[in-house]
Amino acid sequence: RLPNKEEINELVQFLPRFYAKGFTPIKRWNGGKDEDGVSYFPWPEYEQEVNNFISAASQEFWFDRKYIPNEGSKMLESEQKMAEASLQEIKSMLTFCLRGERFCDGHVASVIEAGKIKSLTYTYTYHEMKLIIDGTLIIEDETGLKKTGNVGDLFYFTKGTTVTFTTPDFGVGFFAGQRGEGEA
């Protein structure tokens, strides 16, 4: 099944914290040699917020049993694919991110640091208008200006604007973007 509104918002709440100025996902790296000279491979000790995110994203309704690792990786490499991802595709990307930690210590941190978890934070490469058609969207730009959009509100985003979308419960927007030929 797909996650419901509350389950989606449980993950969305981490975005402002993960991308706050000065936030680093890893508290410290452990490992090395102990007092007996035994060497241990390094492993990250994550900040509690990251552990909470991993726990939330590890719930059954976020897990995509049919995900294809190469496809998850390709989606994360494209801002456009991430911005246009369906909820099922977001599940696949999250599964890829969390499974990656099993094979590469620090994978979740690298995904956060690269800005890949903030798929609801988007930098517009074109002009767009967004009409709120259901629920509420809270929109914050890179300067910290925050506006709440309710049903019927219309927003205009100029090319180059970076915004983060959050919601207290859920939100749906209808949008039209001015893209050049072959950019859609």
Side-chain angles (χ1 to χ4, degrees):
R1 78 171 174 91
L2 292 175
N4 64 34
K5 296 172 203 170
E6 291 78 25
E7 294 161 344
I8 292 168
N9 284 322
E10 184 180 6
L11 288 189
V12 170
Q13 72 172 330
F14 291 98
L15 297 176
R17 294 177 234 169
F18 283 176
Y19 297 103
K21 188 174 185 171
F23 178 81
T24 56
I26 297 175
K27 189 183 298 184
R28 71 176 150 267
W29 281 93
N30 296 304
K33 286 189 177 184
D34 68 11
E35 61 273 357
D36 296 326
V38 177
S39 294
Y40 296 92
F41 283 108
W43 73 90
E45 182 179 334
Y46 284 117
E47 292 289 347
Q48 189 58 47
E49 287 297 316
V50 177
N51 289 328
N52 293 344
F53 172 80
I54 291 170
S55 177
S58 295
Q59 296 176 72
E60 183 65 29
F61 47 82
W62 282 114
F63 185 68
D64 180 5
R65 295 190 181 284
K66 296 179 182 178
Y67 92 106
I68 301 168
N70 291 343
E71 292 302 312
S73 178
K74 286 179 188 174
M75 282 190 276
L76 288 173
E77 292 171 5
S78 168
E79 275 192 35
Q80 183 173 344
K81 284 182 183 179
M82 288 177 59
E84 296 171 352
S86 68
L87 192 51
Q88 182 60 48
E89 290 169 323
I90 291 171
K91 283 179 60 166
S92 292
M93 286 186 275
L94 280 171
T95 302
F96 171 77
C97 293
L98 297 180
R99 299 265 315 157
E101 187 72 24
R102 292 180 58 142
F103 303 104
C104 179
D105 287 327
H107 185 258
V108 170
S110 67
V111 171
I112 292 170
E113 289 170 341
K116 302 302 181 183
I117 296 293
K118 61 179 180 176
S119 63
L120 295 177
T121 298
Y122 186 68
T123 300
Y124 285 92
T125 57
Y126 52 89
H127 301 292
E128 181 179 284
M129 296 196 76
K130 187 175 299 289
L131 175 65
I132 310 306
I133 59 172
D134 199 7
T136 302
L137 284 175
I138 300 167
I139 302 167
E140 183 174 4
D141 70 11
E142 65 270 17
T143 69
L145 178 65
K146 189 183 285 190
K147 297 288 181 180
T148 300
N150 296 299
V151 175
D153 290 343
L154 183 66
F155 291 88
Y156 177 69
F157 304 104
T158 58
K159 182 178 181 177
T161 301
T162 299
V163 295
T164 300
F165 297 95
T166 57
T167 180
D169 50 2
F170 78 100
V172 179
F174 175 81
F175 63 91
Q178 180 185 3
R179 299 181 183 180
E181 188 174 327
E183 292 180 353

